[in-house]
């Protein structure tokens, strides 16, 4: 298995003939409005362009997983790509109708905790909570995914979530060989963080049985936490050896 990290939460899982695109934010640098105006500098998003390798990788995509509808996970360019190529989409059952109205080919929609046959193996929808406190409600529905692909390590995609009992259950009971964690500690101008605090990231890494890949970093103006900050903290905590913090365009080979 290979994980091609493109930018933010956008990546491609390569496993045998499968090339599974996750959360395609494919627009150019600055194509989206700032997500905060006051708490952090009001810069247009995304802050960086896609890596040069993206076009060749996107040309191979066979399926797509979408965790939720926010534009930093599926933007208009991503919608157009999936629609024009008629890529089969897997998503939450709470998002399926909205995606179908935009012309996407939803091949599978899941409820929280539901396991279904797909991609030659199994896909399970995992609950996610997009923020601490009151801010989670207006942020809406998010779904993580647990993938059991043929001949490949098990893989957990946390999606945009804080640390919850549902997250801990996946780590301690399903025991994924690889976990992809949304870092960045995103915050809006009001309210608590939308993603795990650094303390909860540390807890996630400690409880993860295998390798942890942290993404959702250094691509959006409301995500202050950097790769270097996480690298230093995780090293201090003695868990950096379990973690990858891929640069945009990097490919990780998972044995």
């Amino acid at each position: 298995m290979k994980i091609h990290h493109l930018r933010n939460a956008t990546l491609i899982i390569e496993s045998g003939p499968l090339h599974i695109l996750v959360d395609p934010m494919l627009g150019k640098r600055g194509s989206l409005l700032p997500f905060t105006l006051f708490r952090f500098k009001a810069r247009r998003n995304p802050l960086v362009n896609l890596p040069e390798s993206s076009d060749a990788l996107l040309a191979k995509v066979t399926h797509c997983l979408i965790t939720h509808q926010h534009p930093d996970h599926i933007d208009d360019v991503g919608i157009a790509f999936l629609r024009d190529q008629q890529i089969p989409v897997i998503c939450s059952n709470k998002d399926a109708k909205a995606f179908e109205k935009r012309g996407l080919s939803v091949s599978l929609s899941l409820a929280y905790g539901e396991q279904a046959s797909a991609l030659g193996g199994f896909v399970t929808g995992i609950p996610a909570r997009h923020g601490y406190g009151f801010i989670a409600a207006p942020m809406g529905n998010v779904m993580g995914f647990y993938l059991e692909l043929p001949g490949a390590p098990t893989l957990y995609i946390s999606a945009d979530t804080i640390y919850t009992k549902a997250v801990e259950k996946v780590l301690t009971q399903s025991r994924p060989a690889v976990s992809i964690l949304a870092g960045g500690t995103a915050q809006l101008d009001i309210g608590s963080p939308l993603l795990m605090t650094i303390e909860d990231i540390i807890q996630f890494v400690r409880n993860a049985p295998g390798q942890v890949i942290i993404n959702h970093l250094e691509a959006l103006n409301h995500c202050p936490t950097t790769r270097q900050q996480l690298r230093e903290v995780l090293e201090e905590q003695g868990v950096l050896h379990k973690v990858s913090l891929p640069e945009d365009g990097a490919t990780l080979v998972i044995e």
Side-chain angles (χ1 to χ4, degrees):
M1 176 188 285
K2 295 180 180 178
I3 306 291
H4 304 282
H5 172 69
L6 301 187
R7 176 183 62 186
N8 194 49
T10 305
L11 58 94
I12 294 174
I13 303 161
E14 179 182 347
S15 182
L18 300 173
H19 287 73
I20 306 163
L21 175 63
V22 179
D23 284 354
M25 176 181 65
L26 303 182
K28 293 182 179 179
R29 175 182 176 181
S31 57
L32 299 173
L33 292 172
F35 296 141
T36 65
L37 299 175
F38 309 112
R39 181 170 263 168
F40 306 112
K41 185 176 179 180
R43 302 166 66 190
R44 292 183 66 92
N45 293 298
L47 304 178
V48 293
N49 277 315
L50 286 166
E52 293 182 0
S53 59
S54 297
D55 286 347
L57 290 167
L58 289 168
K60 300 178 181 180
V61 167
T62 58
H63 301 80
C64 182
L65 294 172
I66 307 177
T67 62
H68 61 304
Q69 296 186 48
H70 290 172
D72 58 324
H73 291 258
I74 176 75
D75 60 5
D76 289 344
V77 180
I79 288 284
F81 170 79
L82 297 174
R83 183 181 60 237
D84 294 347
Q85 302 299 317
Q86 288 296 287
I87 302 295
V89 167
I90 298 173
C91 65
S92 165
N93 60 1
K94 296 179 181 179
D95 293 330
K97 288 184 179 179
F99 289 143
E100 288 171 345
K101 286 181 179 179
R102 300 184 73 179
L104 301 192
S105 301
V106 176
S107 61
L108 175 65
S109 63
L110 295 168
Y112 285 155
E114 181 182 0
Q115 183 189 70
S117 298
L119 306 173
F122 298 96
V123 179
T124 304
I126 305 298
R129 181 176 175 83
H130 200 344
Y132 297 87
F134 77 87
I135 200 70
M139 295 307 291
N141 166 74
V142 182
M143 176 171 279
F145 296 100
Y146 182 73
L147 305 183
E148 300 168 87
L149 304 177
T154 52
L155 176 64
Y156 170 41
I157 301 169
S158 80
D160 282 9
T161 188
I162 63 174
Y163 195 89
T164 65
K165 290 182 180 179
V167 170
E168 186 165 286
K169 181 179 178 181
V170 176
L171 297 177
T172 59
Q173 295 187 20
S174 299
R175 298 189 59 78
V178 182
S179 299
I180 299 176
L181 168 62
T185 324
Q187 300 172 69
L188 300 179
D189 283 328
I190 61 170
S192 299
L194 310 176
L195 300 174
M196 292 184 202
T197 61
I198 290 178
E199 291 75 18
D200 278 347
I201 289 173
I202 293 167
Q203 184 179 12
F204 184 105
V205 173
R206 287 194 188 284
N207 286 331
Q211 181 178 2
V212 178
I213 300 167
I214 304 180
N215 65 3
H216 214 296
L217 297 169
E218 299 182 57
L220 303 169
N221 88 302
H222 69 324
C223 290
T225 304
T226 67
R227 292 176 176 91
Q228 185 58 30
Q229 287 173 325
L230 283 175
R231 193 173 288 115
E232 292 172 0
V233 170
L234 294 168
E235 186 170 24
E236 288 174 3
Q237 295 295 318
V239 293
L240 183 59
H241 64 282
K242 297 177 67 176
V243 175
S244 296
L245 295 155
E247 299 292 332
D248 295 350
T251 295
L252 303 177
V253 178
I254 312 296
E255 300 295 339

